[in-house]
Amino acid sequence: MLLITTLRRLSMANVKPSIVFVLGGPGSGKGTQCAKIIKEFGYVHLSAGDLLRTERDIPGSRYGDLIEKHIRNGTIVPVEITCNLLHAAMNNSRKDRFLIDGFPRNQDNLEGWNREMAAKVNLQFVLFFDCNEQVCIDRCLKRGSSGSGRSDDNEESLKKRFITYFKDTLPIVDHYQKQNLVRKIDANSSEDTVFEEVKKCFKEVMYSTLHMLWKQSVVTGWKTTSWQQIHKNSSSTFLKKTW
Ligand SMILES: Nc1ncnc2c1ncn2[C@@H]1O[C@H](COP(=O)(O)OP(=O)(O)OP(=O)(O)O)[C@@H](O)[C@H]1O
Ligand SMILES: Nc1ccn([C@H]2C[C@H](O)[C@@H](COP(=O)(O)O)O2)c(=O)n1
């Protein structure tokens, strides 16, 4: 146990915040799954959409009208606004691991992030929720009729949001796929079934990071137990508590 805690500290010696981008169509379950991930694995959840809605609702915000126009039209707010909100939320949290939900959503988002933030963080992977369009639409309409209060949970906005998703967001997923960074999850089934897949994915990434750190510690001559011993000790309860 002590050993792995030490390994983790070593990993943070060179600290850059770790980021997982969470992408998928409107209603694919990004927010729902992020809520589960933070409980199990201790990340901070930052939803670009939520940050924009909060900014829109601040009385006198100079961006309020612009944000609302984009939300209703299903188009994407200029990256300078979204990236600043994300950056501020990361700084304010004082934590070092973030799920960034609903970003980057188009080429402008990607370029702005690469300009301002990419070098300051460690992008772990992109979690991509692959979900049938009609399943997503039904979920969002149900969310709207159950009182979400969202101005875009209606058929007209959803049509536009899906046009943006197919035209602008999927190419961003492809971009990261080419770098082998995408972990695709089938998001059509129940919340719990989807989460089982999500958990597998996070555990794989964590073990492979631990393994890399363990190999480094061996290279630098640090006395360690065998990898098998570490693997045996790092149960999922352990990962939940310490990772
Ligand atoms: N696997 C699932 N099965 C059925 N309903 C689900 C599932 N996952 C989420 N939902 C429901 O579908 C709706 C949309 O889910 P959620 O808000 O998590 O999606 P999202 O991808 O974050 O959406 P958006 O991009 O519009 O913010 C919610 O009402 C949620 O309770
Ligand atoms: N990177 C982003 C994320 C969100 N928005 C705007 C436009 C979206 O339709 C809306 C809702 O986002 P969601 O809650 O579905 O993630 O917010 C954006 O412009 N840029």
Side-chain angles (χ1 to χ4, degrees):
M1 190 86 80
L2 179 65
L3 175 62
I4 305 181
T5 311
T6 313
L7 280 170
R8 179 159 185 259
R9 294 221 174 97
L10 273 177
S11 78
M12 295 173 70
N14 207 351
V15 195
K16 276 185 181 182
S18 291
I19 302 288
V20 175
F21 286 137
V22 183
L23 293 175
S28 57
K30 301 181 294 296
T32 303
Q33 295 298 324
C34 284
K36 293 176 185 288
I37 296 166
I38 60 173
K39 281 195 203 140
E40 186 90 11
F41 298 106
Y43 284 72
V44 173
H45 175 206
L46 297 178
S47 153
D50 285 349
L51 289 169
L52 287 165
R53 282 183 284 272
T54 303
E55 174 65 31
R56 173 199 63 188
D57 294 341
I58 295 172
S61 163
R62 56 195 281 224
Y63 302 121
D65 291 344
L66 177 79
I67 293 171
E68 177 56 14
K69 195 186 87 193
H70 281 288
I71 286 179
R72 273 184 195 274
N73 284 331
T75 47
I76 304 299
V77 172
V79 68
E80 289 73 16
I81 299 173
T82 317
C83 208
N84 280 340
L85 292 171
L86 287 168
H87 193 186
M90 286 167 69
N91 281 343
N92 292 339
S93 81
R94 300 183 171 275
K95 296 281 171 24
D96 62 7
R97 280 180 305 145
F98 301 95
L99 298 171
I100 301 196
D101 163 4
F103 185 95
R105 267 306 227 267
N106 66 2
Q107 190 62 25
D108 174 56
N109 275 190
L110 179 67
E111 286 171 12
W113 177 267
N114 285 344
R115 236 180 0 252
E116 299 297 327
M117 293 295 292
K120 298 176 189 152
V121 302
N122 163 38
L123 174 60
Q124 290 186 294
F125 62 98
V126 177
L127 185 63
F128 171 50
F129 290 110
D130 189 24
C131 194
N132 174 281
E133 180 177 355
Q134 195 55 50
V135 171
C136 288
I137 290 175
D138 291 347
R139 287 181 188 170
C140 289
L141 291 177
K142 191 169 163 202
R143 182 174 64 185
S145 58
S146 326
S148 69
R150 284 180 54 149
S151 56
D152 57 356
D153 274 345
N154 58 72
E155 295 210 24
E156 200 187 331
S157 292
L158 278 163
K159 269 188 204 137
K160 295 175 183 165
R161 291 166 74 193
F162 266 97
I163 290 172
T164 302
Y165 172 66
F166 288 124
K167 184 168 77 63
D168 297 334
T169 309
L170 281 183
I172 305 302
V173 177
D174 284 346
H175 163 83
Y176 285 118
Q177 180 67 60
K178 287 188 189 119
Q179 299 174 32
N180 222 3
L181 280 169
V182 175
R183 303 278 177 139
K184 182 158 113 175
I185 304 282
D186 178 353
N188 292 287
S189 41
S190 72
E191 283 183 24
D192 288 346
T193 307
V194 175
F195 190 53
E196 285 307 310
E197 289 304 305
V198 169
K199 273 197 287 195
K200 266 191 226 157
C201 166
F202 273 83
K203 281 179 191 167
E204 272 168 32
V205 171
M206 286 170 173
Y207 278 121
S208 84
T209 309
L210 274 179
H211 192 225
M212 188 192 72
L213 292 166
W214 174 79
K215 279 200 294 191
Q216 284 172 2
S217 73
V218 169
V219 170
T220 55
W222 196 54
K223 285 201 173 169
T224 66
T225 333
S226 70
W227 169 246
Q228 281 76 9
Q229 192 63 32
I230 293 175
H231 198 273
K232 203 173 109 203
N233 287 343
S234 46
S235 64
S236 81
T237 322
F238 163 75
L239 286 174
K240 193 191 306 188
K241 287 202 183 121
T242 9
W243 182 259

